[in-house]
Amino acid sequence: MDISFFWVGAGLAFLGYFIGDGLKNFNNSKGSFSGYPTLIKERDLYLYLGLSKEEVNELLSKFPDAPKVELKGTTYYPYQHFLEWFSSIDIYKR
């Protein structure tokens, strides 16, 4: 009987630990986009959009105003900003 109370107590301790650990970020309204890079090179953009290379090239040629950053001759696309632009209704009105 004492052993069963031990396991119940250990389970409650672990439960409290994991709930407390989860509450640390409760006030973090920003959210986390971990697992996705902040900047994506132009040659890798098709991997993150789920399109073919030809489709991405056509998209970028039709919409040269897509959000991008150029550093030392390499074009990068900010992932979150590009997705917001890509899903906005503005590009579908053309």
Side-chain angles (χ1 to χ4, degrees):
M1 181 118 169
D2 290 331
I3 292 178
S4 63
F5 283 126
F6 170 75
W7 289 113
V8 169
L12 287 174
F14 280 117
L15 180 68
Y17 171 76
F18 289 120
I19 289 175
D21 195 40
L23 289 176
K24 286 181 187 176
N25 293 323
F26 187 69
N27 288 331
N28 184 7
S29 61
K30 244 175 143 178
S32 173
F33 299 108
S34 62
Y36 297 105
T38 304
L39 295 174
I40 301 171
K41 288 185 179 182
E42 184 173 2
R43 69 171 188 240
D44 298 331
L45 189 60
Y46 75 97
L47 295 171
Y48 295 94
L49 295 179
L51 301 171
S52 69
K53 289 181 182 181
E54 295 80 23
E55 291 170 333
V56 170
N57 289 335
E58 183 180 347
L59 175 74
L60 296 178
S61 66
K62 282 186 177 180
F63 300 101
D65 59 336
K68 61 185 171 189
V69 176
E70 292 188 24
L71 300 171
K72 294 185 180 182
T74 306
T75 304
Y76 297 96
Y77 292 89
Y79 181 71
Q80 287 300 322
H81 192 220
F82 189 84
L83 284 183
E84 289 171 6
W85 171 82
F86 189 62
S87 63
S88 71
I89 199 163
D90 297 336
I91 67 170
Y92 299 108
K93 288 183 179 180
R94 289 186 186 184

